[in-house]
Amino acid sequence: MIKDYIREGTIVPMEVTVQLLENAMTEDIREKGGNGRFLIDGFPRKMDQAIKFEESVCPSKFTLFFDCPEDIMRQRLLNRGKTSGRADDNAESIKKRFKTFVETSMPVVDYFEKRGKVVRIPASKPPDEVYADVKRSMSQRGFEQLE
């Protein structure tokens, strides 16, 4: 089911995503002795996900937003598609993903930005520079890199 959503460039239902995340976080804390700090990639993507997660799981500390022009993202994704084997790294899926992002995910970024919870990372730079900016931003917020 989840693979179908990914291939179509659409968003997995909120209840499924939130429950999967909550289960994984709970398992890490209870069974693996985790510290309760998580970096969740690509979530939330919709307002209902953001609100449900913050109400039922925990409030986020901040959201990393990789700010990058669409043309650069398209080229990077197409290049990744040459070796990734991902079903959604093709021109048609990428076009759908961009449209979905603007319509459903940018309102989430705006929502958290109004609450002072967005850390914008300029992502049109080379990957090593973007990574350095992420490490610096995380460190400034008390998240040290694990070795």
Side-chain angles (χ1 to χ4, degrees), residues 65-122:
F65 176 65
F66 294 89
D67 199 0
C68 188
E70 191 173 310
D71 59 323
I72 293 174
M73 287 189 291
R74 180 183 305 104
Q75 189 57 48
R76 287 178 178 172
L77 290 168
L78 289 171
N79 284 337
R80 181 179 73 177
K82 294 174 185 174
T83 58
S84 71
R86 287 179 52 147
D88 61 343
D89 279 347
N90 62 72
E92 187 61 31
S93 290
I94 290 168
K95 183 177 179 180
K96 290 177 186 176
R97 286 162 58 193
F98 287 156
K99 183 179 187 305
T100 299
F101 178 80
V102 168
E103 292 174 355
T104 62
S105 298
M106 269 314 290
V108 175
V109 175
D110 296 340
Y111 173 82
F112 283 120
E113 193 157 46
K114 288 176 186 169
R115 285 152 182 77
K117 288 183 153 188
V118 170
V119 176
R120 284 184 178 265
I121 305 291

Side-chain angles (χ1 to χ4, degrees), residues 9 16 19 25 27-28 35 39-40 43-44 47 51 54 58 62 73 81 84-85 97-98 104-105 115 119 140:
V16 173
Q19 191 61 59
M25 293 167 73
E27 178 183 348
D28 184 74
N35 65 7
L39 175 62
I40 304 173
F43 183 86
M47 281 306 303
I51 292 167
E54 294 219 333
C58 67
F62 60 92
M73 287 189 291
S84 71
R97 286 162 58 193
F98 287 156
T104 62
S105 298
R115 285 152 182 77
V119 176
Q140 290 170 348

Side-chain angles (χ1 to χ4, degrees), residues 14 18 43-60 107-108 111-112 115 117:
M14 179 254 316
V18 170
F43 183 86
R45 294 183 186 223
K46 292 174 61 179
M47 281 306 303
D48 63 345
Q49 292 176 339
I51 292 167
K52 179 70 172 174
F53 185 85
E54 294 219 333
E55 288 175 351
S56 67
V57 182
C58 67
S60 66
V108 175
Y111 173 82
F112 283 120
R115 285 152 182 77
K117 288 183 153 188

Side-chain angles (χ1 to χ4, degrees), residues 62 132-145:
F62 60 92
D133 288 346
V134 169
K135 289 193 308 186
R136 186 173 31 263
S137 293
M138 297 287 288
S139 179
Q140 290 170 348
R141 286 156 184 82
F143 290 84
E144 296 303 321
Q145 183 175 349

